[in-house]
Amino acid sequence: MPKGTNAGNYTVQYRIIGDSNHNDKTGLSVVATIAKANVACTAPAPLVGLIYTGSPMTLISAGTTNDGVMQYSLDGETWSTELPKGTNAGNYTVHYRVVGDANHNDKTADPITATIAKANITTYTAPVGLTLIYTGEAQNLVEAGSAEGGVMEYSLDGENWSTDLPKGKEIKTYTVYYRIKGDSNHNDVAM
């Protein structure tokens, strides 16, 4: 009996050998098909604990398969065998698929989500309170603070916040509250 190993169509030729009462019949054939198998794979997994650093970082662990080639995409259109990377804080949708070899079907799976968390702001300069002399005009009450990865905001009541330096013109002691409003890659900091 002829056997096939790989997926595809096989033309099997055969003949009938006649007995003493019948002629031989030759040139006969039949087509046999071995269908492609479904791929087996281990899905990639999102890496946990990713925190914004300003540098690109790999978002997932690699998937595996012996039945083709694993490919990845961040947009579902441009595919690569390289693991996708992200730089900014946020959620990333990672698409993956297996392009099957000659004996296996392609497989596209549901995307997975990987997250890069916002970083804490660690570099900042607090505002400095000023000692002022009454002039009858509104004066800045502090020297501006600064922060890498955010914007310094000020308040005289702890509720209404602004990036403008608070001003005062009355003779009294002022309490100035400040906080850092983080950008899209950094957490807010309450002081």
Side-chain angles (χ1 to χ4, degrees):
M1 248 344 200
K3 295 183 179 182
T5 304
N6 295 317
N9 295 323
Y10 293 86
T11 300
V12 179
Q13 296 181 347
Y14 66 98
R15 66 182 179 184
I16 300 172
I17 299 175
D19 59 19
S20 59
N21 296 317
H22 296 91
N23 293 325
D24 293 347
K25 190 159 190 156
T26 60
L28 302 172
S29 66
V30 65
V31 175
T33 301
I34 297 177
K36 288 185 176 184
N38 291 328
V39 296
C41 68
T42 302
L47 295 176
V48 295
L50 299 177
I51 299 173
Y52 172 79
T53 64
S55 298
M57 58 186 76
T58 302
L59 298 169
I60 60 171
S61 63
T64 59
T65 185
N66 292 323
D67 301 334
V69 177
M70 188 76 71
Q71 295 182 338
Y72 310 95
S73 174
L74 289 175
D75 62 9
E77 295 178 10
T78 305
W79 296 89
S80 172
T81 57
E82 293 185 28
L83 294 175
K85 294 183 177 186
T87 301
N88 292 317
N91 293 325
Y92 292 82
T93 300
V94 179
H95 305 269
Y96 68 98
R97 69 182 181 188
V98 177
V99 177
D101 59 22
N103 293 313
H104 294 87
N105 293 310
D106 295 346
K107 176 182 181 177
T108 301
D110 291 335
I112 57 176
T113 300
T115 301
I116 297 176
K118 289 183 176 184
N120 289 328
I121 294 174
T122 57
T123 304
Y124 64 90
T125 302
V128 176
L130 298 174
T131 302
L132 304 169
I133 298 174
Y134 177 78
T135 64
E137 301 291 324
Q139 301 177 64
N140 289 340
L141 298 172
V142 295
E143 284 183 19
S146 63
E148 289 183 26
V151 176
M152 191 76 64
E153 294 183 333
Y154 310 92
S155 173
L156 289 175
D157 61 10
E159 294 180 13
N160 298 300
W161 297 91
S162 172
T163 56
D164 295 332
L165 291 175
K167 297 182 183 292
K169 80 180 204 180
E170 296 176 14
I171 299 173
K172 70 177 198 174
T173 300
Y174 292 88
T175 299
V176 176
Y177 302 91
Y178 67 97
R179 68 182 182 187
I180 302 170
K181 191 74 171 165
D183 61 19
S184 61
N185 290 313
H186 294 88
N187 293 312
D188 295 344
V189 179
M191 301 295 177

